[in-house]
Structures are given as structure tokens and as C-alpha cells.
Amino acid sequence: MLLLWLPIIVLVSATFSSALAFPGERHCKTQEVRKEWRKLSYHQKARWLDAVKCLSHKPRSRTFVPSRFPTDIVKYNHSGSLYDDFVFLHMEQNHWIHATGLFLPWHRWFVYQFTETLRKECRYEGVAPYWDWSLDSKDVHGSSFFKESGSVSGLGGWGDPNKDYTVQDGALSESSGFALSYPAYHHLRRNWTIQPYIAGHAVYPKIFPDAYVLANSTFTPEKVRHLTRSHVGDFIGFQSDIENPEHMHSAVHVMTGGDLGGQCPASAPSPCGGGQTFSVNDPLFFLHHGMIDKVWAVWQGKHHRNAVAFAGGSVQDPTYVGHPTGEAPWLHLNSTIPTDGLFPSTTIGGVLSISRLCYSYE
């Protein structure tokens, strides 16, 4: 298993602010109601998957200019697709958007803009789907979610261990034409692992104290319900709970493995930096983070203090344990969400309310 957290200390300028007001309210012509994947019809699933594949055949963005160059990722591939650009943005921002105050707002904006790009570039007219993994916590491996093998509307299942865990069925299979550029050219991979923290514990015992935790035990309906009802007004406590290396966010990534878990493909050059970097390779990323976003939105709606709660730093704590949402310089509601020109930027305050972004969850 490759770690999702590869800590590094970085310096980003920011100023702390306790402002608790949203910018001017946005008037929505329509309200998008996001749906759980299994609530979509055959044709709705097919259209989303077709749009994702469409993006993987679009040429790279001419406005995307990477601004950060961490040493643990490969260089930008100028022959990559527009889909690959979303992967690379997440790769290069990795140390700034995990275990800092940007984690939840950055990923909310990322999923939102990915859907907007599907609409603009590939004529997608549907909603952003999400994956409610709590429904599968009793048996993820055997879930119907991973048994949708249809070549038009199926997400596909687990990869073939004899073929580097490459997915063989569904609309994103090896034969579908869906290919990825990072960290090297390959096809989509998934590798089921119920106890994904054993290797991490051996290297970082303080970050991964429970080597044998079962991944599916971290995102049961009871765990999700408790999370949304706790930490009243405490953004740091809420984010720390959801992003903890052995809690639901990480568990879904590394349990699914392959590209969503950031496991390097056989074609990758050596050394290969894995972890969070290229986890966007698997379109399941957007369904997974759609659910993370829904959990945050449900928590925000539980109490008026939650709705406007935000606090966090812009620098990762290399131990994670001491400052799970980052260290100073502090971020604030006017801090910019970095996008490097791939899509429009906004502020943290600009994404705190999903109603201002004109969507809700079913």
C-alpha cells in the first residue's frame, strides 16, 4: 500500500480572519439536485460516463499553467487530455489541499467545476452523482455498486490481479478507450484491500496507529450519522474526523486501491510517488468526494454555527497528529482556492453555501 499522506512543509501566504458572512447571495435559475449513483436511470448513468470519456479525448487546456512543482510527482504531460489536466491539478496541489483548511472547500469547488466542464465541453446535461458508501459498508466487495458491468452504463468492478489490477468490465474498462497519462500511460485499475493500513503503520505508526482496522468499519451509517451530529460549530474537529488518515475519506481511497488509492501502475517510472496524487485517475473520485461534500453539507445544515464555520492553516503539519487541519499562515474566508487557470477560481467563503452554488443533495 502507498500512503495517502506524504507530508511536506510548504509556505503559503494567508491572513487569518474570523469573518462569518457569505458574499452576496446568488439567484439560481435552476437548482441541481445531486443524486446517489444507484438512483440514476440507465440513460443518466450512460450519459455521465460518456461525458467522462469525452473529456478524456479532449485536448489539454490552453489556460492551465501549473504553478507548484512538488518533487514527488512526474512532470506535466503536454500530450495529455483535458481529463488528465484535472488529475494533474490535484497532483500538484496535493500538499496544499490535504490536511490543511483547504481540504473541504477546495474539493467542493473541484467537483463542482468538473461537472461544469463536462457540461461545457461534452454537452452533459445531468447532475453530479455521488456514491453513498455507507450503504455498502457491510459488504463493499460484493456490493451491486461494483457489479455494474455494462459497457455503456456500468462503473465496472475490481481489477484483474494478473493484469496489474486493470478493470476489465464496465464503460471505463481497458477495451473502452478510457486511458490515463499519470504517472505513466495506463488503463484504469482497482485493487480491493480490506485492511489497507498495515504497511502505513510500519512506516508511520503515529499517523496509522491501528494497523488492522477494517476499512469498511470507518464509514458505516452509524459513523456517518454521528459525524454529522457532532462537532457543533467546530470546523477543525469536523474536518479532522472526516479526513483522519484512518477514517472514512482515506479508507474509501485505499480500500478501493488501484488508481483511486494512488497505487503506482506497473508502467510507472521509478521512483513513483503515489498516495493522494493521481487518485483522480478513477472517475470514482468524483462520486467519492461528492459523498464527502454531502456529509459536510448535512453537517452544515444541522446547526447555524456549522453553516458558517471555518478555520484552518495553509501549511501541512508533517506529523498530521498535532495540527490535522494545518498550521499558520492561517486561511480565511477571502482566501483564494487555487486552480492554476484550469477553471475559474473563487474564495473559501464563496463555496461555504451549496445553495449559492445552486445545488442540493437528494
PDB file of all heavy atoms in Angstrom, residues 3-38:
ATOM      1  N   LEU A   3       1.128   5.300   0.808  1.00  0.00           N
ATOM      2  CA  LEU A   3       0.484   6.208   1.733  1.00  0.00           C
ATOM      3  C   LEU A   3      -0.256   7.318   1.019  1.00  0.00           C
ATOM      4  O   LEU A   3       0.203   7.847   0.024  1.00  0.00           O
ATOM      5  CB  LEU A   3       1.544   6.835   2.646  1.00  0.00           C
ATOM      6  CG  LEU A   3       2.306   5.851   3.530  1.00  0.00           C
ATOM      7  CD1 LEU A   3       3.306   6.621   4.364  1.00  0.00           C
ATOM      8  CD2 LEU A   3       1.366   5.074   4.423  1.00  0.00           C
ATOM      9  N   LEU A   4      -1.426   7.684   1.576  1.00  0.00           N
ATOM     10  CA  LEU A   4      -2.154   8.834   1.063  1.00  0.00           C
ATOM     11  C   LEU A   4      -1.524  10.119   1.555  1.00  0.00           C
ATOM     12  O   LEU A   4      -1.648  11.160   0.928  1.00  0.00           O
ATOM     13  CB  LEU A   4      -3.609   8.782   1.526  1.00  0.00           C
ATOM     14  CG  LEU A   4      -4.511   7.801   0.775  1.00  0.00           C
ATOM     15  CD1 LEU A   4      -5.935   7.948   1.282  1.00  0.00           C
ATOM     16  CD2 LEU A   4      -4.458   8.032  -0.707  1.00  0.00           C
ATOM     17  N   TRP A   5      -0.851  10.062   2.690  1.00  0.00           N
ATOM     18  CA  TRP A   5      -0.216  11.257   3.218  1.00  0.00           C
ATOM     19  C   TRP A   5       1.298  11.139   3.058  1.00  0.00           C
ATOM     20  O   TRP A   5       1.938  10.283   3.638  1.00  0.00           O
ATOM     21  CB  TRP A   5      -0.566  11.437   4.696  1.00  0.00           C
ATOM     22  CG  TRP A   5      -1.853  12.188   4.832  1.00  0.00           C
ATOM     23  CD1 TRP A   5      -2.015  13.534   5.022  1.00  0.00           C
ATOM     24  CD2 TRP A   5      -3.158  11.636   4.763  1.00  0.00           C
ATOM     25  NE1 TRP A   5      -3.339  13.841   5.063  1.00  0.00           N
ATOM     26  CE2 TRP A   5      -4.068  12.711   4.909  1.00  0.00           C
ATOM     27  CE3 TRP A   5      -3.657  10.350   4.568  1.00  0.00           C
ATOM     28  CZ2 TRP A   5      -5.429  12.529   4.885  1.00  0.00           C
ATOM     29  CZ3 TRP A   5      -5.021  10.178   4.548  1.00  0.00           C
ATOM     30  CH2 TRP A   5      -5.892  11.254   4.704  1.00  0.00           C
ATOM     31  N   LEU A   6       1.861  12.019   2.247  1.00  0.00           N
ATOM     32  CA  LEU A   6       3.304  12.112   2.109  1.00  0.00           C
ATOM     33  C   LEU A   6       3.670  13.513   2.576  1.00  0.00           C
ATOM     34  O   LEU A   6       3.794  14.435   1.783  1.00  0.00           O
ATOM     35  CB  LEU A   6       3.720  11.903   0.647  1.00  0.00           C
ATOM     36  CG  LEU A   6       3.333  10.536   0.080  1.00  0.00           C
ATOM     37  CD1 LEU A   6       3.680  10.481  -1.397  1.00  0.00           C
ATOM     38  CD2 LEU A   6       4.060   9.443   0.821  1.00  0.00           C
ATOM     39  N   PRO A   7       3.799  13.720   3.892  1.00  0.00           N
ATOM     40  CA  PRO A   7       3.884  15.061   4.452  1.00  0.00           C
ATOM     41  C   PRO A   7       5.074  15.850   3.929  1.00  0.00           C
ATOM     42  O   PRO A   7       6.160  15.338   3.703  1.00  0.00           O
ATOM     43  CB  PRO A   7       4.024  14.804   5.956  1.00  0.00           C
ATOM     44  CG  PRO A   7       3.450  13.442   6.166  1.00  0.00           C
ATOM     45  CD  PRO A   7       3.815  12.683   4.920  1.00  0.00           C
ATOM     46  N   ILE A   8       4.855  17.146   3.744  1.00  0.00           N
ATOM     47  CA  ILE A   8       5.908  18.062   3.343  1.00  0.00           C
ATOM     48  C   ILE A   8       5.543  19.433   3.882  1.00  0.00           C
ATOM     49  O   ILE A   8       4.365  19.797   3.915  1.00  0.00           O
ATOM     50  CB  ILE A   8       6.061  18.116   1.804  1.00  0.00           C
ATOM     51  CG1 ILE A   8       7.243  19.016   1.408  1.00  0.00           C
ATOM     52  CG2 ILE A   8       4.798  18.603   1.129  1.00  0.00           C
ATOM     53  CD1 ILE A   8       7.547  18.982  -0.073  1.00  0.00           C
ATOM     54  N   ILE A   9       6.483  20.196   4.343  1.00  0.00           N
ATOM     55  CA  ILE A   9       6.203  21.532   4.847  1.00  0.00           C
ATOM     56  C   ILE A   9       6.293  22.509   3.692  1.00  0.00           C
ATOM     57  O   ILE A   9       7.267  22.539   2.962  1.00  0.00           O
ATOM     58  CB  ILE A   9       7.213  21.928   5.943  1.00  0.00           C
ATOM     59  CG1 ILE A   9       7.090  20.957   7.129  1.00  0.00           C
ATOM     60  CG2 ILE A   9       6.982  23.358   6.389  1.00  0.00           C
ATOM     61  CD1 ILE A   9       8.069  21.252   8.231  1.00  0.00           C
ATOM     62  N   VAL A  10       5.238  23.301   3.515  1.00  0.00           N
ATOM     63  CA  VAL A  10       5.223  24.296   2.455  1.00  0.00           C
ATOM     64  C   VAL A  10       4.806  25.623   3.052  1.00  0.00           C
ATOM     65  O   VAL A  10       4.139  25.689   4.080  1.00  0.00           O
ATOM     66  CB  VAL A  10       4.241  23.894   1.333  1.00  0.00           C
ATOM     67  CG1 VAL A  10       4.691  22.635   0.648  1.00  0.00           C
ATOM     68  CG2 VAL A  10       2.837  23.724   1.863  1.00  0.00           C
ATOM     69  N   LEU A  11       5.175  26.720   2.394  1.00  0.00           N
ATOM     70  CA  LEU A  11       4.848  28.044   2.868  1.00  0.00           C
ATOM     71  C   LEU A  11       3.920  28.718   1.881  1.00  0.00           C
ATOM     72  O   LEU A  11       4.236  28.834   0.698  1.00  0.00           O
ATOM     73  CB  LEU A  11       6.127  28.880   3.037  1.00  0.00           C
ATOM     74  CG  LEU A  11       7.126  28.341   4.064  1.00  0.00           C
ATOM     75  CD1 LEU A  11       8.365  29.219   4.070  1.00  0.00           C
ATOM     76  CD2 LEU A  11       6.505  28.305   5.448  1.00  0.00           C
ATOM     77  N   VAL A  12       2.751  29.152   2.367  1.00  0.00           N
ATOM     78  CA  VAL A  12       1.784  29.864   1.556  1.00  0.00           C
ATOM     79  C   VAL A  12       1.311  31.053   2.368  1.00  0.00           C
ATOM     80  O   VAL A  12       0.966  30.916   3.538  1.00  0.00           O
ATOM     81  CB  VAL A  12       0.568  28.969   1.213  1.00  0.00           C
ATOM     82  CG1 VAL A  12      -0.402  29.728   0.332  1.00  0.00           C
ATOM     83  CG2 VAL A  12       1.030  27.692   0.521  1.00  0.00           C
ATOM     84  N   SER A  13       1.288  32.233   1.771  1.00  0.00           N
ATOM     85  CA  SER A  13       0.869  33.413   2.495  1.00  0.00           C
ATOM     86  C   SER A  13      -0.633  33.432   2.686  1.00  0.00           C
ATOM     87  O   SER A  13      -1.385  33.181   1.763  1.00  0.00           O
ATOM     88  CB  SER A  13       1.292  34.676   1.732  1.00  0.00           C
ATOM     89  OG  SER A  13       2.695  34.751   1.665  1.00  0.00           O
ATOM     90  N   ALA A  14      -1.077  33.742   3.891  1.00  0.00           N
ATOM     91  CA  ALA A  14      -2.508  33.868   4.188  1.00  0.00           C
ATOM     92  C   ALA A  14      -2.660  34.649   5.472  1.00  0.00           C
ATOM     93  O   ALA A  14      -1.741  34.731   6.279  1.00  0.00           O
ATOM     94  CB  ALA A  14      -3.157  32.498   4.314  1.00  0.00           C
ATOM     95  N   THR A  15      -3.792  35.242   5.681  1.00  0.00           N
ATOM     96  CA  THR A  15      -4.061  36.008   6.879  1.00  0.00           C
ATOM     97  C   THR A  15      -5.326  35.499   7.514  1.00  0.00           C
ATOM     98  O   THR A  15      -6.328  35.301   6.831  1.00  0.00           O
ATOM     99  CB  THR A  15      -4.221  37.503   6.544  1.00  0.00           C
ATOM    100  OG1 THR A  15      -3.069  37.946   5.837  1.00  0.00           O
ATOM    101  CG2 THR A  15      -4.390  38.315   7.820  1.00  0.00           C
ATOM    102  N   PHE A  16      -5.312  35.288   8.809  1.00  0.00           N
ATOM    103  CA  PHE A  16      -6.493  34.755   9.482  1.00  0.00           C
ATOM    104  C   PHE A  16      -7.574  35.820   9.596  1.00  0.00           C
ATOM    105  O   PHE A  16      -7.313  36.973   9.841  1.00  0.00           O
ATOM    106  CB  PHE A  16      -6.131  34.262  10.883  1.00  0.00           C
ATOM    107  CG  PHE A  16      -7.318  33.762  11.653  1.00  0.00           C
ATOM    108  CD1 PHE A  16      -7.841  32.504  11.378  1.00  0.00           C
ATOM    109  CD2 PHE A  16      -7.925  34.551  12.611  1.00  0.00           C
ATOM    110  CE1 PHE A  16      -8.946  32.044  12.070  1.00  0.00           C
ATOM    111  CE2 PHE A  16      -9.022  34.081  13.303  1.00  0.00           C
ATOM    112  CZ  PHE A  16      -9.537  32.825  13.038  1.00  0.00           C
ATOM    113  N   SER A  17      -8.796  35.396   9.375  1.00  0.00           N
ATOM    114  CA  SER A  17      -9.944  36.278   9.539  1.00  0.00           C
ATOM    115  C   SER A  17     -11.077  35.490  10.160  1.00  0.00           C
ATOM    116  O   SER A  17     -11.270  34.325   9.869  1.00  0.00           O
ATOM    117  CB  SER A  17     -10.404  36.835   8.181  1.00  0.00           C
ATOM    118  OG  SER A  17     -11.655  37.485   8.316  1.00  0.00           O
ATOM    119  N   SER A  18     -11.849  36.122  11.011  1.00  0.00           N
ATOM    120  CA  SER A  18     -12.977  35.444  11.642  1.00  0.00           C
ATOM    121  C   SER A  18     -14.295  35.843  10.998  1.00  0.00           C
ATOM    122  O   SER A  18     -15.361  35.671  11.575  1.00  0.00           O
ATOM    123  CB  SER A  18     -13.018  35.773  13.143  1.00  0.00           C
ATOM    124  OG  SER A  18     -13.136  37.165  13.331  1.00  0.00           O
ATOM    125  N   ALA A  19     -14.230  36.430   9.803  1.00  0.00           N
ATOM    126  CA  ALA A  19     -15.456  36.860   9.130  1.00  0.00           C
ATOM    127  C   ALA A  19     -16.403  35.691   8.957  1.00  0.00           C
ATOM    128  O   ALA A  19     -16.008  34.603   8.587  1.00  0.00           O
ATOM    129  CB  ALA A  19     -15.102  37.453   7.759  1.00  0.00           C
ATOM    130  N   LEU A  20     -17.697  35.941   9.219  1.00  0.00           N
ATOM    131  CA  LEU A  20     -18.668  34.865   9.166  1.00  0.00           C
ATOM    132  C   LEU A  20     -19.832  35.218   8.246  1.00  0.00           C
ATOM    133  O   LEU A  20     -20.965  34.820   8.472  1.00  0.00           O
ATOM    134  CB  LEU A  20     -19.198  34.574  10.575  1.00  0.00           C
ATOM    135  CG  LEU A  20     -18.181  34.000  11.558  1.00  0.00           C
ATOM    136  CD1 LEU A  20     -18.814  33.816  12.917  1.00  0.00           C
ATOM    137  CD2 LEU A  20     -17.642  32.662  11.051  1.00  0.00           C
ATOM    138  N   ALA A  21     -19.572  35.966   7.198  1.00  0.00           N
ATOM    139  CA  ALA A  21     -20.643  36.341   6.277  1.00  0.00           C
ATOM    140  C   ALA A  21     -20.331  35.840   4.884  1.00  0.00           C
ATOM    141  O   ALA A  21     -19.189  35.892   4.440  1.00  0.00           O
ATOM    142  CB  ALA A  21     -20.796  37.861   6.260  1.00  0.00           C
ATOM    143  N   PHE A  22     -21.361  35.342   4.206  1.00  0.00           N
ATOM    144  CA  PHE A  22     -21.187  34.929   2.826  1.00  0.00           C
ATOM    145  C   PHE A  22     -21.185  36.155   1.927  1.00  0.00           C
ATOM    146  O   PHE A  22     -21.821  37.154   2.235  1.00  0.00           O
ATOM    147  CB  PHE A  22     -22.331  34.011   2.388  1.00  0.00           C
ATOM    148  CG  PHE A  22     -22.391  32.722   3.137  1.00  0.00           C
ATOM    149  CD1 PHE A  22     -23.553  32.331   3.785  1.00  0.00           C
ATOM    150  CD2 PHE A  22     -21.295  31.899   3.194  1.00  0.00           C
ATOM    151  CE1 PHE A  22     -23.616  31.136   4.474  1.00  0.00           C
ATOM    152  CE2 PHE A  22     -21.339  30.695   3.883  1.00  0.00           C
ATOM    153  CZ  PHE A  22     -22.506  30.324   4.524  1.00  0.00           C
ATOM    154  N   PRO A  23     -20.511  36.081   0.777  1.00  0.00           N
ATOM    155  CA  PRO A  23     -20.641  37.139  -0.209  1.00  0.00           C
ATOM    156  C   PRO A  23     -22.102  37.202  -0.670  1.00  0.00           C
ATOM    157  O   PRO A  23     -22.919  36.354  -0.325  1.00  0.00           O
ATOM    158  CB  PRO A  23     -19.712  36.678  -1.340  1.00  0.00           C
ATOM    159  CG  PRO A  23     -18.753  35.737  -0.683  1.00  0.00           C
ATOM    160  CD  PRO A  23     -19.556  35.068   0.400  1.00  0.00           C
ATOM    161  N   GLY A  24     -22.436  38.196  -1.485  1.00  0.00           N
ATOM    162  CA  GLY A  24     -23.811  38.396  -1.920  1.00  0.00           C
ATOM    163  C   GLY A  24     -24.465  37.128  -2.434  1.00  0.00           C
ATOM    164  O   GLY A  24     -23.859  36.349  -3.153  1.00  0.00           O
ATOM    165  N   GLU A  25     -25.725  36.919  -2.073  1.00  0.00           N
ATOM    166  CA  GLU A  25     -26.428  35.708  -2.456  1.00  0.00           C
ATOM    167  C   GLU A  25     -26.596  35.625  -3.965  1.00  0.00           C
ATOM    168  O   GLU A  25     -26.789  36.631  -4.638  1.00  0.00           O
ATOM    169  CB  GLU A  25     -27.795  35.650  -1.769  1.00  0.00           C
ATOM    170  CG  GLU A  25     -27.712  35.323  -0.282  1.00  0.00           C
ATOM    171  CD  GLU A  25     -27.076  33.980  -0.012  1.00  0.00           C
ATOM    172  OE1 GLU A  25     -27.450  32.992  -0.646  1.00  0.00           O
ATOM    173  OE2 GLU A  25     -26.174  33.925   0.827  1.00  0.00           O
ATOM    174  N   ARG A  26     -26.523  34.421  -4.463  1.00  0.00           N
ATOM    175  CA  ARG A  26     -26.655  34.170  -5.882  1.00  0.00           C
ATOM    176  C   ARG A  26     -28.080  33.701  -6.172  1.00  0.00           C
ATOM    177  O   ARG A  26     -28.634  32.887  -5.449  1.00  0.00           O
ATOM    178  CB  ARG A  26     -25.651  33.093  -6.302  1.00  0.00           C
ATOM    179  CG  ARG A  26     -25.724  32.680  -7.756  1.00  0.00           C
ATOM    180  CD  ARG A  26     -24.655  31.631  -8.003  1.00  0.00           C
ATOM    181  NE  ARG A  26     -24.728  31.104  -9.353  1.00  0.00           N
ATOM    182  CZ  ARG A  26     -23.948  30.133  -9.819  1.00  0.00           C
ATOM    183  NH1 ARG A  26     -23.039  29.601  -9.024  1.00  0.00           N
ATOM    184  NH2 ARG A  26     -24.058  29.696 -11.053  1.00  0.00           N
ATOM    185  N   HIS A  27     -28.674  34.230  -7.223  1.00  0.00           N
ATOM    186  CA  HIS A  27     -30.022  33.825  -7.603  1.00  0.00           C
ATOM    187  C   HIS A  27     -29.925  32.726  -8.654  1.00  0.00           C
ATOM    188  O   HIS A  27     -29.350  32.919  -9.721  1.00  0.00           O
ATOM    189  CB  HIS A  27     -30.803  35.031  -8.135  1.00  0.00           C
ATOM    190  CG  HIS A  27     -30.991  36.116  -7.105  1.00  0.00           C
ATOM    191  ND1 HIS A  27     -31.869  35.991  -6.051  1.00  0.00           N
ATOM    192  CD2 HIS A  27     -30.388  37.320  -6.955  1.00  0.00           C
ATOM    193  CE1 HIS A  27     -31.810  37.081  -5.299  1.00  0.00           C
ATOM    194  NE2 HIS A  27     -30.916  37.899  -5.829  1.00  0.00           N
ATOM    195  N   CYS A  28     -30.460  31.575  -8.345  1.00  0.00           N
ATOM    196  CA  CYS A  28     -30.335  30.406  -9.214  1.00  0.00           C
ATOM    197  C   CYS A  28     -31.535  30.292 -10.150  1.00  0.00           C
ATOM    198  O   CYS A  28     -32.684  30.297  -9.700  1.00  0.00           O
ATOM    199  CB  CYS A  28     -30.231  29.129  -8.371  1.00  0.00           C
ATOM    200  SG  CYS A  28     -28.880  29.174  -7.173  1.00  0.00           S
ATOM    201  N   LYS A  29     -31.255  30.176 -11.428  1.00  0.00           N
ATOM    202  CA  LYS A  29     -32.323  29.939 -12.401  1.00  0.00           C
ATOM    203  C   LYS A  29     -32.867  28.527 -12.232  1.00  0.00           C
ATOM    204  O   LYS A  29     -34.063  28.289 -12.368  1.00  0.00           O
ATOM    205  CB  LYS A  29     -31.796  30.148 -13.821  1.00  0.00           C
ATOM    206  CG  LYS A  29     -31.413  31.591 -14.131  1.00  0.00           C
ATOM    207  CD  LYS A  29     -30.920  31.732 -15.564  1.00  0.00           C
ATOM    208  CE  LYS A  29     -30.545  33.174 -15.870  1.00  0.00           C
ATOM    209  NZ  LYS A  29     -30.031  33.314 -17.269  1.00  0.00           N
ATOM    210  N   THR A  30     -31.974  27.602 -11.964  1.00  0.00           N
ATOM    211  CA  THR A  30     -32.365  26.218 -11.696  1.00  0.00           C
ATOM    212  C   THR A  30     -31.582  25.702 -10.500  1.00  0.00           C
ATOM    213  O   THR A  30     -30.493  26.193 -10.210  1.00  0.00           O
ATOM    214  CB  THR A  30     -32.098  25.307 -12.904  1.00  0.00           C
ATOM    215  OG1 THR A  30     -30.691  25.347 -13.234  1.00  0.00           O
ATOM    216  CG2 THR A  30     -32.913  25.744 -14.115  1.00  0.00           C
ATOM    217  N   GLN A  31     -32.119  24.718  -9.829  1.00  0.00           N
ATOM    218  CA  GLN A  31     -31.453  24.122  -8.674  1.00  0.00           C
ATOM    219  C   GLN A  31     -31.124  22.667  -8.998  1.00  0.00           C
ATOM    220  O   GLN A  31     -32.024  21.863  -9.232  1.00  0.00           O
ATOM    221  CB  GLN A  31     -32.350  24.187  -7.436  1.00  0.00           C
ATOM    222  CG  GLN A  31     -31.695  23.719  -6.150  1.00  0.00           C
ATOM    223  CD  GLN A  31     -30.820  24.778  -5.512  1.00  0.00           C
ATOM    224  OE1 GLN A  31     -30.864  25.934  -5.900  1.00  0.00           O
ATOM    225  NE2 GLN A  31     -30.018  24.393  -4.533  1.00  0.00           N
ATOM    226  N   GLU A  32     -29.853  22.349  -9.045  1.00  0.00           N
ATOM    227  CA  GLU A  32     -29.446  20.975  -9.311  1.00  0.00           C
ATOM    228  C   GLU A  32     -29.628  20.132  -8.052  1.00  0.00           C
ATOM    229  O   GLU A  32     -29.177  20.513  -6.972  1.00  0.00           O
ATOM    230  CB  GLU A  32     -27.970  20.939  -9.732  1.00  0.00           C
ATOM    231  CG  GLU A  32     -27.415  19.543  -9.907  1.00  0.00           C
ATOM    232  CD  GLU A  32     -25.900  19.524 -10.114  1.00  0.00           C
ATOM    233  OE1 GLU A  32     -25.294  20.606 -10.227  1.00  0.00           O
ATOM    234  OE2 GLU A  32     -25.334  18.431 -10.156  1.00  0.00           O
ATOM    235  N   VAL A  33     -30.271  18.996  -8.196  1.00  0.00           N
ATOM    236  CA  VAL A  33     -30.418  18.065  -7.073  1.00  0.00           C
ATOM    237  C   VAL A  33     -29.533  16.854  -7.355  1.00  0.00           C
ATOM    238  O   VAL A  33     -29.848  16.030  -8.214  1.00  0.00           O
ATOM    239  CB  VAL A  33     -31.885  17.618  -6.889  1.00  0.00           C
ATOM    240  CG1 VAL A  33     -31.989  16.665  -5.701  1.00  0.00           C
ATOM    241  CG2 VAL A  33     -32.797  18.822  -6.685  1.00  0.00           C
ATOM    242  N   ARG A  34     -28.432  16.782  -6.679  1.00  0.00           N
ATOM    243  CA  ARG A  34     -27.488  15.693  -6.901  1.00  0.00           C
ATOM    244  C   ARG A  34     -28.047  14.385  -6.361  1.00  0.00           C
ATOM    245  O   ARG A  34     -28.646  14.362  -5.289  1.00  0.00           O
ATOM    246  CB  ARG A  34     -26.138  16.013  -6.252  1.00  0.00           C
ATOM    247  CG  ARG A  34     -25.436  17.207  -6.890  1.00  0.00           C
ATOM    248  CD  ARG A  34     -24.083  17.453  -6.268  1.00  0.00           C
ATOM    249  NE  ARG A  34     -23.366  18.522  -6.967  1.00  0.00           N
ATOM    250  CZ  ARG A  34     -22.140  18.929  -6.655  1.00  0.00           C
ATOM    251  NH1 ARG A  34     -21.493  18.353  -5.638  1.00  0.00           N
ATOM    252  NH2 ARG A  34     -21.563  19.900  -7.341  1.00  0.00           N
ATOM    253  N   LYS A  35     -27.814  13.306  -7.095  1.00  0.00           N
ATOM    254  CA  LYS A  35     -28.383  12.011  -6.743  1.00  0.00           C
ATOM    255  C   LYS A  35     -27.306  10.950  -6.519  1.00  0.00           C
ATOM    256  O   LYS A  35     -26.233  11.003  -7.128  1.00  0.00           O
ATOM    257  CB  LYS A  35     -29.319  11.535  -7.857  1.00  0.00           C
ATOM    258  CG  LYS A  35     -30.536  12.416  -8.072  1.00  0.00           C
ATOM    259  CD  LYS A  35     -31.449  11.811  -9.131  1.00  0.00           C
ATOM    260  CE  LYS A  35     -32.703  12.651  -9.332  1.00  0.00           C
ATOM    261  NZ  LYS A  35     -33.626  12.017 -10.314  1.00  0.00           N
ATOM    262  N   GLU A  36     -27.623  10.004  -5.651  1.00  0.00           N
ATOM    263  CA  GLU A  36     -26.754   8.844  -5.456  1.00  0.00           C
ATOM    264  C   GLU A  36     -26.740   8.035  -6.744  1.00  0.00           C
ATOM    265  O   GLU A  36     -27.755   7.929  -7.445  1.00  0.00           O
ATOM    266  CB  GLU A  36     -27.293   7.994  -4.296  1.00  0.00           C
ATOM    267  CG  GLU A  36     -26.219   7.215  -3.549  1.00  0.00           C
ATOM    268  CD  GLU A  36     -25.834   5.886  -4.177  1.00  0.00           C
ATOM    269  OE1 GLU A  36     -26.667   5.342  -4.933  1.00  0.00           O
ATOM    270  OE2 GLU A  36     -24.722   5.383  -3.917  1.00  0.00           O
ATOM    271  N   TRP A  37     -25.577   7.495  -7.093  1.00  0.00           N
ATOM    272  CA  TRP A  37     -25.384   6.829  -8.378  1.00  0.00           C
ATOM    273  C   TRP A  37     -26.491   5.827  -8.698  1.00  0.00           C
ATOM    274  O   TRP A  37     -26.997   5.776  -9.817  1.00  0.00           O
ATOM    275  CB  TRP A  37     -24.019   6.135  -8.392  1.00  0.00           C
ATOM    276  CG  TRP A  37     -23.748   5.384  -9.666  1.00  0.00           C
ATOM    277  CD1 TRP A  37     -23.835   4.038  -9.859  1.00  0.00           C
ATOM    278  CD2 TRP A  37     -23.364   5.948 -10.925  1.00  0.00           C
ATOM    279  NE1 TRP A  37     -23.527   3.716 -11.156  1.00  0.00           N
ATOM    280  CE2 TRP A  37     -23.229   4.864 -11.837  1.00  0.00           C
ATOM    281  CE3 TRP A  37     -23.101   7.243 -11.372  1.00  0.00           C
ATOM    282  CZ2 TRP A  37     -22.848   5.055 -13.160  1.00  0.00           C
ATOM    283  CZ3 TRP A  37     -22.727   7.430 -12.699  1.00  0.00           C
ATOM    284  CH2 TRP A  37     -22.614   6.349 -13.575  1.00  0.00           C
ATOM    285  N   ARG A  38     -26.883   5.043  -7.722  1.00  0.00           N
ATOM    286  CA  ARG A  38     -27.866   3.995  -7.971  1.00  0.00           C
ATOM    287  C   ARG A  38     -29.292   4.523  -8.153  1.00  0.00           C
ATOM    288  O   ARG A  38     -30.189   3.772  -8.542  1.00  0.00           O
ATOM    289  CB  ARG A  38     -27.797   2.960  -6.846  1.00  0.00           C
ATOM    290  CG  ARG A  38     -26.587   2.048  -6.974  1.00  0.00           C
ATOM    291  CD  ARG A  38     -26.217   1.363  -5.688  1.00  0.00           C
ATOM    292  NE  ARG A  38     -25.583   2.260  -4.740  1.00  0.00           N
ATOM    293  CZ  ARG A  38     -24.819   1.870  -3.725  1.00  0.00           C
ATOM    294  NH1 ARG A  38     -24.600   0.579  -3.541  1.00  0.00           N
ATOM    295  NH2 ARG A  38     -24.278   2.740  -2.908  1.00  0.00           N
TER     296      ARG A  38
END
